[in-house]
Amino acid sequence: AKGQGLVNNIKSKLNRAMTKLGEELYDRDVHFILEILQNADDNSYGPGVVAKVDFMLLRDRVVIRNNELGFRKEDIASICDVGKSTKINSGL
């Protein structure tokens, strides 16, 4: 019974992952920038803090920084799954 529950959980995650991938494949090279900005907009900030995102273009990499409060336990669990967003009324 416990093993079957684990199998069903994995099947459910895989099904949501495949659905998301099928619906949201990127059709533009710059889509990742829009995603980063959307993520910054969704983040949590301290009282009175204005959201800020910095893009630093270096010779061998791009560094992206944001002044959010940081991840909560719920956020970590959410990004480890598909279709289990912590966003309120996200529909995701």
Side-chain angles (χ1 to χ4, degrees):
K2 185 176 181 180
Q4 187 61 42
L6 180 59
V7 169
N8 289 340
N9 186 27
I10 291 170
K11 283 182 179 180
S12 178
K13 286 181 182 181
L14 182 58
N15 184 38
R16 288 193 307 274
M18 297 307 292
T19 299
K20 284 286 185 189
L21 288 173
E23 293 172 350
E24 298 180 10
L25 287 176
Y26 302 148
D27 59 357
R28 296 177 291 181
D29 291 338
V30 297
H31 188 84
F32 77 96
I33 295 172
L34 299 174
E35 282 293 322
I36 289 168
L37 294 174
Q38 180 62 54
N39 289 345
D41 186 55
D42 292 339
N43 291 340
S44 298
Y45 298 90
V49 173
V50 176
K52 181 178 177 184
V53 179
D54 294 320
F55 291 84
M56 297 185 322
L57 303 175
L58 305 176
R59 181 184 304 199
D60 60 340
R61 64 188 174 275
V62 176
V63 176
I64 303 166
R65 298 186 306 182
N66 176 242
N67 62 338
E68 69 164 326
L69 288 175
F71 286 111
R72 301 167 299 154
K73 182 179 176 180
E74 297 84 8
D75 298 323
I76 299 297
S78 176
I79 64 173
C80 291
D81 200 345
V82 177
K84 294 279 192 159
S85 177
T86 57
K87 298 177 192 176
I88 298 172
N89 298 322
S90 69
L92 298 178

